[in-house]
Amino acid sequence: MAQPRSVAQDDAGAPPEGAAFRRALAAVADALRRAEEGVGSVLALTAADDDADRLIAALAHGPAAAGFGVLRWPQSRLPPLGGPDDLEAVAVSLPSLADGSPDEARRCIALAAERGGGELAGEAVRGLLGLPSIHPLWRGLDGTQRAEFQVEGLAAALLDLCYERPILIVVENAQWARGLTMPLLDALSNAVEDARLCLLTIRSPAPRVRLGGWTPPGAARRIVLPEPQGEPAVLVGADEDDPTPHAALLEALRCDRRPERIEWMAHHAPLAGEWALACACARHAGRRAEADCRPADAARHYMDALKALDRLPETRRHAQRRIDAWTALARTQPPPDGGALKAAEKALALAQGLGDRPRVARALSLLAALRWAGGNLPAARRTGMRALKLWRECQNPHQQMQTLIKLGRGLTEEGRFRQADIVLRAAAALATRGETRRLHGPTALAPVCIAAHRARCRAELGDPEEALRLARAALARAEDDGHAASRALACLHLGWAALTAQRYAMAVEPLKQAVAITETIRLHVCQPLVLGALGYALVRTGALNDGASLLLGSREHARMLGIRRHEPQILIWIAEAALLSGQTEDAVRNARDAAEKAADAGQGGDEAWARLALARGLADQGNITAARQSLDAATRIAAQRSMASLLSQCADVRKSVTSI
C-alpha cells in the first residue's frame, strides 16, 4: 500500500497558496470520482478555518460533488448546551439522504440500518431518530450494548444508503471529536474502501488546539494547506492565558441547569484557576460520560481531575479523591493494553499508603475482575479473597455480594466446584435481602448470575436435579426482568447442566436460545462457549455434521476474540465429537491440547475432563498404558474436586480399559 503523502509536498519548494488550494481541491475531486465508482477513501485535510470553508464551498457548488449526498458533521470541543450531541447529531443529519416526508425519511434510515446491521442496529437508529421501539430485546440491553448498536446502526445505514447514491461526509474540526463519534468514524473508515463513500476530515493547524480528537487510519490520504506567507496561524483559544473571561463564564454556568454545563465548567474552571472546582467538575463529567457509555471521554475527564489535584494542597480528602480518580480511570481503560491494570495498581498502592480500607477493597475488587478477564484465574482468586475479607470488615453487604459472585464465577472456572458452591450460596443469602442490581457492564443480574453458576457447580458435583432446578430458576428470573444478557447466561447454564448430566436432547433447545440471543445482541464474550455447547449437543443427538461445524467455528471464534478461558472446554467437546465420529487421531490431539491449556491456566476441572477424553482416545488407539495414566490423572483431579459426574464416567472407562 502506498505511503500517505501531503498534497502540499508534491512539488519541490513551497507552492503559491492558490496552487496548493487547487491541488487540494483536485485531490478531493479525484477521491470523489473513485468513490462514485465504488472505491471509497478517507482524506485527512489540515487547513485553517478560512481555507476549509473555501474548499467546502467549492465542493458544494462545483461539479465534483454533483450527485453526492453531502453530510456535514462539525465537531466542537464542548457539548452543545441544550442541543443534540454525538450520535444524535449524526442521526439528525441522515434523513436528508432519503426522499419523502420527514417521517418517511426517518423510517427509511431505520430500515437501512436494519438491512445493513440487523434488527437491533435498526432499533438503535429508530431510537436516535425519535421513533418508537418495536423489538422486545431492546429493553433488555445494557447501556454499553445500546451504544454499540447505535454506532453499528448508523454506520450500517450510511453504507447501505451509499448504494443508491454516493455520499460525502465532511467532519469539520476533527481534532475536537468526542464521545461516540470516534468509534463511528472508526467503523466507517474500516469499511469505506469498498463503499461509495468519501470521508473528508478537517483539522486545524493552529498550535494551541487541544491534542486528541479522531485520528484517521494510516491509509488515509493526507492533504495540507499551508498558511499564507507572513500570516501567523490563528490561535484557537488565545484568551486561555487570561482567567477573567473564564471566571465570568463559570459564574454564569453556576446558574445553568442543563446537564451539559458540567463539561463546560470542567473546561473553564482550570483556565480560571479554580482548581478545586476543576477537580469536582472533571470527576462529575467523568461519571456522566461513564453513564453515557463514553469511556474515552470519561478517561479524559478523570485525567483532568488528577491534573487539578496536582494543583491542590496535600490533604487526606484530596488523597482519597486521587485514589477514586485512579480507580475510575481503571474502569474506563480497555483491559488488553494494560492501562487498566496499571491504573488499578496505582489506586491500590495509594489506598494502602493512606490506610483507607474501603478504597483498598475497591481497588482489589477491580484488580480481581481485570485479572479474571485476562485469564489469570489463580491471581484473580487470591486478589478477590483479599477484597472479600476487607468488605466484610467494612460491613458492606452490596460489595460483599458482588465480590462473592465474581469470586464464585472464578472458582467455577478453576474447577473448584465445592468451594464455588459455598461462595455462591453466601452471595445468594445476601441477594435475598433485596439486592438485585446488575454487576458492572453488560452482564447478568446478580440472582441470575448466582443461580446459573451454582447450576454448573451442582451438575459437576453429581446433583443433576438440583442443577437443572437452579438453571430453570435463573432463566425464569431473567425472563421476568427481560434482561437479555441474563437470559443468554441462564440458557447456556441450563444447557450445560443437561450436557454434564448426559441428558443431551434436553440441552439442545436452551442452547439454541442462547445462540440466538448472543448473536442478536452481539454478546461476544459468550458466543464461542454457547456455539460450542450447542455443537456438542447436536453431535450427541445425531446431527454430526451440523454439530462439528459449530464446534470448529466456536474454536476459531474464541481464538479470534482472545478468550483463552473458554478454549479448553471447547477443545474437550471437539475431542469427544471426534471420538463419536471415529476420528481418533483428531480426538487425541485436541484432548491433549485441551489438557495442556487447562493445566497452564489453572483450570483443574477442564483439565480433568480433557484427561478423560484423552484416555478414551488413547484406548481406541490401543495405547492402553498411556490411556491408564491419563485416566489416573483425571480420576485424581476429580476426586480432589468432588466431581462426581466425572468420577462416574472415569469408572466406566476404567472397566473397559481393564477388560482389554
Side-chain angles (χ1 to χ4, degrees):
M1 184 178 291
Q3 291 295 314
R5 59 194 178 90
S6 165
V7 171
Q9 296 168 351
D10 284 352
D11 301 334
E17 179 195 354
F21 184 87
R22 287 194 298 274
R23 271 200 294 277
L25 189 60
V28 178
D30 177 62
L32 291 175
R33 279 193 296 272
R34 289 188 291 115
E36 196 165 13
E37 296 167 358
V39 183
S41 60
V42 180
L43 302 179
L45 171 66
T46 302
D49 290 346
D50 289 347
D51 283 337
D53 289 342
R54 284 201 306 143
L55 186 76
I56 294 169
L59 288 171
H61 297 100
F68 273 74
V70 180
L71 300 175
R72 293 182 69 169
W73 296 348
Q75 305 299 300
S76 58
R77 70 168 74 189
L78 294 170
L81 285 169
D85 190 25
D86 289 354
L87 300 188
E88 292 85 357
V90 169
V92 167
S93 74
L94 297 190
S96 64
L97 300 175
D99 297 326
S101 68
D103 285 345
E104 290 172 341
R106 286 197 294 271
R107 286 193 291 270
C108 176
I109 300 302
L111 286 172
E114 185 174 336
R115 284 194 300 270
E119 291 179 312
L120 289 183
E123 188 74 0
V125 173
R126 287 177 62 85
L128 288 170
L129 293 170
L131 298 172
S133 174
I134 59 174
H135 199 289
L137 276 181
W138 182 254
R139 182 177 69 87
L141 297 184
D142 291 275
T144 301
Q145 292 170 312
R146 291 191 180 203
E148 289 173 354
F149 277 112
Q150 287 171 343
V151 169
E152 184 176 336
L154 290 172
L158 283 162
L159 294 170
D160 184 88
L161 291 166
C162 71
Y163 283 111
E164 296 183 11
R165 65 166 166 165
I167 296 172
L168 167 63
I169 299 174
V170 182
V171 183
E172 301 165 63
N173 289 315
Q175 74 278 359
W176 289 337
R178 295 173 288 104
L180 296 173
T181 302
M182 293 199 285
L184 173 61
L185 294 174
D186 286 335
L188 289 172
S189 66
N190 289 335
V192 72
E193 190 173 345
D194 297 319
R196 301 177 73 203
L197 178 68
C198 181
L199 184 61
L200 173 60
T201 69
I202 304 175
R203 297 179 70 96
S204 169
R208 294 290 298 276
V209 171
R210 174 180 62 83
L211 294 177
W214 187 69
T215 303
R221 187 173 185 186
R222 314 286 167 171
I223 305 172
V224 179
L225 280 177
E227 291 293 325
Q229 293 290 331
E231 293 186 20
V234 176
L235 295 182
V236 175
D239 66 338
E240 291 180 0
D241 290 330
D242 182 358
T244 305
H246 300 287
L249 279 168
L250 274 178
E251 199 59 36
L253 287 166
R254 289 177 196 272
C255 304
D256 199 307
R257 287 295 172 262
R258 287 170 289 190
E260 300 86 4
R261 78 187 187 285
I262 294 300
E263 282 84 350
W264 285 67
M265 293 177 74
H267 171 75
H268 289 288
L271 299 172
E274 295 276 358
W275 297 109
L277 183 62
C279 176
C281 290
R283 292 173 65 209
H284 191 166
R287 288 193 291 270
R288 265 178 45 83
E290 269 196 275
D292 292 342
C293 305
R294 295 181 282 116
D297 285 356
R300 175 168 52 83
H301 288 305
Y302 291 136
M303 285 301 300
D304 288 344
L306 287 168
K307 292 174 185 174
L309 284 166
D310 290 340
R311 302 294 193 109
L312 293 169
E314 289 291 337
T315 66
R316 181 175 178 84
R317 187 67 192 101
H318 287 159
Q320 289 173 330
R321 291 187 175 108
R322 189 180 298 277
I323 295 164
D324 293 344
W326 279 111
T327 303
L329 196 61
R331 288 197 307 267
T332 56
Q333 297 292 312
D337 67 358
L341 270 174
K342 290 177 183 176
E345 287 167 351
K346 178 73 172 178
L348 176 60
L350 291 173
Q352 288 173 329
L354 196 63
D356 190 319
R357 290 192 301 171
R359 286 178 169 81
V360 170
R362 189 172 295 115
L364 285 169
S365 297
L366 186 54
L367 268 174
L370 292 170
R371 286 169 176 163
W372 174 79
N376 193 342
L377 299 180
R381 169 171 41 85
R382 291 191 296 269
T383 309
M385 292 294 290
R386 290 173 60 196
L388 180 61
K389 181 176 183 294
L390 285 171
W391 286 129
R392 283 174 171 161
E393 291 174 0
C394 297
Q395 297 184 344
N396 188 320
H398 170 62
Q399 292 292 348
Q400 279 186 60
M401 186 204 65
Q402 286 211 3
T403 304
L404 283 166
I405 291 173
K406 293 172 185 175
L407 188 58
R409 177 182 60 190
L411 288 167
T412 302
E413 292 193 359
E414 279 193 275
R416 300 174 184 271
F417 300 109
R418 182 75 65 190
Q419 188 178 358
D421 190 45
I422 293 169
V423 166
L424 290 166
R425 274 189 286 155
L430 291 172
T432 57
R433 299 175 186 175
E435 176 54 73
T436 58
R437 281 177 284 183
R438 295 170 189 174
L439 301 178
H440 181 71
T443 185
L445 292 165
V448 175
C449 198
I450 292 166
H453 287 294
R454 278 203 68 207
R456 183 182 174 197
C457 292
R458 297 313 306 175
E460 294 283 0
L461 293 169
D463 191 356
E465 298 306 325
E466 177 65 3
L468 293 170
R469 185 195 69 78
L470 284 164
R472 290 185 182 117
L475 181 56
R477 178 59 188 265
E479 288 177 338
D480 284 346
D481 185 79
H483 187 228
S486 294
R487 288 176 58 194
L489 184 75
C491 285
L492 166 63
H493 281 77
L494 178 55
W496 204 341
L499 290 178
T500 305
Q502 298 180 289
R503 301 182 188 183
Y504 303 115
M506 182 187 294
V508 172
E509 189 54 37
L511 290 172
K512 283 184 176 179
Q513 291 182 42
V515 168
I517 295 169
T518 55
E519 286 183 348
T520 302
I521 69 173
R522 309 286 200 275
L523 192 61
H524 301 300
V525 70
C526 284
Q527 280 182 310
L529 204 54
V530 297
L531 286 170
L534 177 58
Y536 182 58
L538 291 174
V539 165
R540 281 292 191 174
T541 52
L544 290 176
N545 291 336
D546 290 345
S549 177
L550 282 176
L551 279 166
L552 295 176
S554 72
R555 180 185 62 188
E556 293 310 310
H557 201 35
R559 289 177 178 174
M560 179 184 69
L561 295 173
I563 305 176
R564 292 176 293 171
R565 303 188 311 277
H566 297 169
E567 200 170 353
Q569 177 62 76
I570 292 168
L571 288 169
I572 292 164
W573 286 330
I574 290 173
E576 293 280 3
L579 280 172
L580 290 172
S581 59
Q583 298 172 334
T584 307
E585 190 174 323
D586 285 348
V588 168
R589 185 181 68 255
N590 283 295
R592 183 173 283 122
D593 192 15
E596 291 171 355
K597 283 181 165 63
D600 290 344
Q603 294 171 243
D606 287 340
E607 183 187 357
W609 282 107
R611 297 289 179 196
L612 175 61
L614 180 58
R616 286 175 171 148
L618 291 168
D620 282 1
Q621 288 182 335
N623 193 342
I624 303 304
T625 300
R628 285 174 178 162
Q629 290 173 347
S630 188
L631 186 61
D632 288 344
T635 304
R636 184 181 67 254
I637 298 171
Q640 291 170 348
R641 305 294 175 94
S642 303
M643 298 170 68
S645 296
L646 178 57
L647 279 171
S648 174
Q649 292 188 41
C650 285
D652 291 341
V653 174
R654 189 174 299 279
K655 291 175 187 175
S656 64
V657 171
T658 305
S659 66
I660 296 176

